[in-house]
Amino acid sequence: PLVASSDPSLESASLPNDFVWGIAASSYQIEGAAKDEGKGPSIWDLLAHRNYGSVSDNSTGDIVGSHYWLYKQDFARLAKLGVPYFSPSFSWPRFFPFGNGPLNQEGVKHYDDVIANMVSNGIKPAVTLFHWALFNSYGAWTDPKIIDDFFNYAKFVITRYDAYVPIWYTFNEPQYCNWQYQYYPAGNNKGIYPAYHNITGGLSARIACSHYTILAHAKVAKWYHEEFKGRGRITFKNSGNYYEGNSTSTEDLDAVARNYEFVLGWFNGCWRDGDYSPMIKETLGSLLPNFTQAEKDLIKGSCDFFAIDAYTGYLATAVSGGSAACAANSSHPAFPECASSSSLAADGFPLGPSADNEMSWLYSTPVGIRRFLNVITKDLFPTVPDIVVSEFGFAEPFEGQQTKLENILWDLRRSDYYQGFLDNILLAKTVDRVNVTGIFAWSIFDNFEWFSGNQVKFGVQYLNATSMERVPKASLFQMLNWFKTKGGATHPGVGGNATAAR
Ligand code: PNW
């Protein structure tokens, strides 16, 4: 039911030339060079190496595509192809190997060159400060001490590169320190975000991690707004998906609302009154820490636009016993979300074509994205001025699972997903009048996919992990052609200079 069909209004629809688009990635997932040039160990280095078995194929991010060494080639190709934006993340332990101690000059020099090279290739950076690359010797995001460490790192990076970076994201998907499925069933305490592999997780850790993440974002954003007024924009990347009721029963609609509040409402006080959503406060009661009035003032207004990594859509169903009963009982297994979601429709069929087998959460549901943008900007957070889809993407089978390279390069399921997704973004903008101002495809080439390692391929380029060669897939040309037809930002040509001003 969420699969795209052709829409006559697409014929004439087009994008303005300030519509931001490009490709996204994250440091640990593409850089490799894990032990090189003074970088400290991050939680993912530790997890992949020490908690053997955590990553399903036992692979690590030690090498991946060696973007750390090959960024010049990567940017030259993006420039040739006419991609106007690239959204990488920087690795905190490359700047501060021990989180908060001495600065690593080799890391600084590296990112100086990365920014300079992007600029000279005419590519605008949209930089994420924290995409789960974190040195951790204490409780990470469950310890309030990290707020100042993050602030220190963020201040350094933003001060150094702000002249070249129009978009800053403090955090990638803070929802990940929180999401229920990372911590249940009990015993699965290998959450990626706060280095839970050595901390006993559970609800109190989720609550602490969310709390300090929100405060750290707000602190950085406030400083940025004061220091660099009018230069660029700052926000964080949400993770969230579209929900529709499995039926129109009050209980199922309540499950939709609970899903939205516990995923998006938890973190987005910046668009409301600086506080947690009333539903969260009511459900968690005294388990939830309070923000002081000064903190609420800091949080409110700390986001310049709404960014969301939105990949797919689900049907929401009330949990057994009912959401209200669950919310009143903190020992209920589904507490505090008290909602469940499914990617199967009532007839038992998936809502859309499914992705690679390890990505059980990912279905191609492009109509969902159109509706989701409407829900976020009109119902949930009406004060949002504009929304950027900071990641979308689709996984396909890997070599070995599907041995023919030609089938990997001729990635028809991904191409179909891209077409439907982009069309529905355009419809949301032109027909529904949602102010969507940008979109980033995940990812530049086949990356290290966290717990799925090398078994899941999201790239718009195939990566030959032996030769390091990148080969464009059909979906990349599909996206480029789509923007050629529909408009959006264009690449300005090469020749900029990012060293003079520093
Ligand atoms: C994003 N979901 O995570 C991350 O930002 C990337 O690092 C990652 O590689 C990419 O998506 C693909 O997985 C998500 O369950 C993980 O809806 C899971 C979900 C959404 C985003």
Side-chain angles (χ1 to χ4, degrees), residues 26 29 131-132 172-173 176 179 181 237 239-241 309 311-312 314 359 361-362 391 442-443 447-450 456 458:
S26 91
Q29 297 181 274
H131 196 131
W132 314 339
N172 183 66
E173 306 185 345
Y176 248 108
W179 271 7
Y181 79 93
K237 290 166 72 187
S239 185
N241 292 309
D309 299 353
Y311 284 75
T312 191
Y314 299 114
M359 291 274 105
W361 56 272
L362 183 48
E391 283 179 28
W442 182 274
S443 181
N447 57 276
F448 173 82
E449 186 50 42
W450 308 119
V456 168
F458 269 96

Side-chain angles (χ1 to χ4, degrees), residues 311-364:
Y311 284 75
T312 191
Y314 299 114
L315 295 184
T317 314
V319 295
S320 63
S323 303
C326 163
N329 169 14
S330 60
S331 57
H332 190 289
F335 181 86
E337 282 81 351
C338 298
S340 71
S341 59
S342 159
S343 24
L344 299 183
D347 59 9
F349 286 102
L351 291 173
S354 101
D356 182 88
N357 56 2
E358 278 231 356
M359 291 274 105
S360 50
W361 56 272
L362 183 48
Y363 288 80
S364 181

Side-chain angles (χ1 to χ4, degrees), residues 37-38 68 94-95 104-112 161:
E37 299 205 327
Y68 186 87
R94 286 200 195 278
F95 285 98
N104 171 32
Q105 291 301 342
E106 283 176 292
V108 177
K109 165 91 174 47
H110 171 75
Y111 285 117
D112 283 359
Y161 304 119

Side-chain angles (χ1 to χ4, degrees), residues 90-93 95-96 99 128-130 148-158:
F90 286 174
S91 169
W92 182 352
F95 285 98
F96 296 96
T128 303
L129 294 170
F130 181 72
D148 283 331
D149 288 354
F150 181 71
F151 185 52
N152 177 57
Y153 156 63
K155 268 201 314 200
F156 178 82
V157 172
I158 294 176

Side-chain angles (χ1 to χ4, degrees), residues 486-498:
K486 294 300 178 190
T490 51
H491 185 275
V494 301
N497 185 348

